[in-house]
Amino acid sequence: MAMEIQEKLLKFKYHIIVALVLSIVLISVIVVAPSFLNILAYFWPLFLSTALFLVTVLFFGKTSAPASADSSPSAEGLLDYVAGHHGHHPAVELVQPHHPHHEASAETVKSESE
């Protein structure tokens, strides 16, 4: 009779070990971990500032006018420049200053290649 019980218990050896380890961990966390009020008392400035920031974002999101579908030409030129489309565009001139020396060297290269 005792051997049958021992054989049945050996079948569930890993289950019993896992249950014991989880029980010990759970009990130690309950005993050692700080209470919820201690955590709240420590982090209340962070929680408050985060809540105020989210309220501000929601407020400005509701009250500000939606962005227009038409983007300005300067914004399009800047986006084209950042995307790597370095064609002649008025907004690109805002990003790249006008240098007469560069144009002269470019003209020299063109005349030499012809």
Side-chain angles (χ1 to χ4, degrees), residues 1 11-12 15 20 27 30 35 46 50 74-75 78 87 93 99 101:
M1 183 79 160
K11 288 181 183 178
F12 298 107
H15 297 89
L20 284 174
I27 289 171
I30 290 172
S35 71
L46 177 66
T50 303
S74 62
L78 185 60
E93 292 177 4
H99 294 293
H101 300 296

Side-chain angles (χ1 to χ4, degrees), residues 19-80:
L20 284 174
V21 168
L22 286 177
S23 299
I24 291 170
V25 167
L26 183 65
I27 289 171
S28 65
V29 165
I30 290 172
V31 171
V32 175
S35 71
F36 178 73
L37 291 178
N38 286 340
I39 294 172
L40 188 63
Y42 186 78
F43 287 110
W44 75 266
L46 177 66
F47 295 147
L48 179 66
S49 64
T50 303
L52 290 175
F53 176 75
L54 291 176
V55 166
T56 305
V57 167
L58 289 174
F59 175 76
F60 283 117
K62 297 279 184 183
T63 58
S64 66
S68 65
D70 301 329
S71 59
S72 67
S74 62
E76 288 178 9
L78 185 60
L79 287 175
D80 288 341

